[in-house]
Amino acid sequence: MKTTLYERIFSCGETELKLGQATLIMGVLNVTPDSFSDGGRYIDSDRAVQHALQMIEDGADLIDIGGESTRPGFQQISTEEELQRVLPVIEAIHRAAPHIPLSIDTYKAEVARQSIQAGAHIINDIWRGIGDPLMLSTAAELSCPIILMHNRHQQRYTHLIPDMVDDLKESIELAIRAGVAQHNIILDPGVGFAKDYDDNMHVMMNLDVLVQLGYPVLLATSRKKFIRTALDLPVDDVIEGTAATVAFGIAQGCQIVRVHDVKAIKRTVRMCDAMLYASHDMN
């Protein structure tokens, strides 16, 4: 098996995030009252920080902080409210663990700007840079990595994978035109966004196509509905299902995985890496 692996070094304040040596684990920290799996659990700043530190101890390489739920039918909130939720948490985690890169899960340019200024290092945009006309220029100005996640308003595809490729190429072109450095671009297939069960399964079978676009790919499948549907299990009982998707993604070249259950998935990732990087050493 020959899997494409990209080598990147992302500058993250006092530390670096290195791709190409091991699969990176992004721990999910939702500071929202209504997220689909852990809504309300970490809206208290102290509890949020404690959970972030636990994920770091369990093996997370970076922490993704979100202040607005992105579950289906989510209620949009104002920029001000989102900032009130995320800034205290970003500042507190940055003080407690300045060596850990932080990403801000937002599609709002002003939230991204203030979060980076408060101690975050990466923008994680569920609208691939097109949800806010100022997002890409903001990312360029801040010279920070940006994750462009596939999404669209209408779930209408002529051919799913080619259409996704076209959408992501559009976002990449817009980002570069806005001044975002190519080496700061990361892609996300957007599993669960504008996609039904069959679409998600098709995406999972074709992750390598997105990897071949030439940018690192982040896979975010943790606890998502297509896993719960496949296994007919509740949201808090799908660690094995999530682990299976993670392993399948790593085998196709995904280099960052975004998960809730860091400790268990860390073991999955280590075993995948033991096989994957051994195969590369032999080539």
Side-chain angles (χ1 to χ4, degrees):
M1 180 184 69
K2 181 66 173 177
T3 302
T4 300
L5 295 174
Y6 299 107
E7 293 188 359
R8 298 282 194 282
I9 298 178
F10 299 110
S11 177
C12 297
E14 300 174 31
T15 188
E16 294 178 333
L17 199 61
K18 296 182 180 180
L19 278 184
Q21 300 177 359
T23 303
L24 301 180
I25 295 180
M26 172 187 279
V28 179
L29 180 59
N30 291 316
V31 288
T32 59
D34 56 347
S35 292
F36 75 92
S37 68
D38 54 4
R41 191 174 298 176
Y42 305 115
I43 55 176
D44 175 77
S45 182
D46 289 339
R47 291 188 67 184
V49 173
Q50 183 179 15
H51 183 58
L53 295 177
Q54 183 61 57
M55 287 193 289
I56 294 167
E57 185 176 330
D58 289 342
D61 298 289
L62 65 160
I63 303 295
D64 188 45
I65 301 162
E68 180 176 280
S69 174
T70 56
R71 65 184 175 85
F74 74 95
Q75 183 67 43
Q76 287 187 317
I77 61 173
S78 68
T79 296
E80 291 71 24
E81 184 174 356
E82 190 173 347
L83 285 168
Q84 288 172 7
R85 291 179 181 181
V86 300
L87 290 184
V89 174
I90 291 171
E91 291 167 352
I93 297 173
H94 184 62
R95 283 195 303 269
H99 62 291
I100 294 296
L102 306 177
S103 64
I104 175 65
D105 183 353
T106 188
Y107 55 89
K108 300 184 182 80
E110 187 58 27
V111 174
R113 177 188 299 279
Q114 292 196 37
S115 296
I116 297 295
Q117 292 171 344
H121 310 94
I122 300 166
I123 300 170
N124 184 11
D125 185 354
I126 67 163
W127 276 107
R128 60 186 174 90
I130 64 171
D132 183 329
L134 296 177
M135 177 59 90
L136 294 175
S137 59
T138 298
E141 180 186 338
L142 295 169
S143 298
C144 65
I146 182 168
I147 300 163
L148 302 173
M149 192 198 81
H150 180 265
N151 203 348
R152 52 166 58 184
H153 290 287
Q154 299 295 328
Q155 189 179 322
R156 296 174 184 168
Y157 302 98
T158 303
H159 301 288
L160 177 63
I161 302 303
D163 288 355
M164 287 178 61
V165 168
D166 287 343
D167 289 346
L168 288 171
K169 282 184 174 179
E170 175 194 40
S171 286
I172 291 167
E173 182 179 338
L174 290 171
I176 293 172
R177 194 182 305 163
V180 176
Q182 279 190 292
H183 67 263
N184 272 335
I185 295 174
I186 300 168
L187 303 180
D188 178 340
V191 173
F193 288 81
K195 301 170 188 69
D196 60 22
Y197 177 83
D198 290 335
D199 291 337
N200 289 321
M201 288 300 190
H202 194 48
V203 170
M204 289 300 302
M205 294 295 295
N206 289 275
L207 293 170
D208 58 328
V209 175
L210 302 184
V211 171
Q212 294 305 318
L213 290 176
Y215 299 88
V217 172
L218 176 148
L219 181 64
T221 53
S222 183
R223 301 183 183 178
K224 288 196 172 174
K225 185 178 179 181
F226 84 105
I227 300 174
R228 294 162 9 222
T229 300
L231 299 179
D232 192 22
L233 289 171
V235 66
D236 58 352
D237 194 24
V238 289
I239 291 179
E240 297 90 348
T242 296
T245 63
V246 164
F248 202 60
I250 291 172
Q252 294 181 73
C254 296
Q255 291 180 264
I256 310 172
V257 293
R258 181 181 183 274
V259 299
H260 298 81
D261 304 291
V262 172
K263 189 172 184 178
I265 300 304
K266 179 69 173 182
R267 297 173 182 173
T268 303
V269 166
R270 285 182 64 190
M271 190 64 226
C272 289
D273 283 357
M275 296 181 288
L276 180 62
Y277 286 88
S279 68
H280 274 258
D281 291 341
M282 294 172 64
N283 291 321

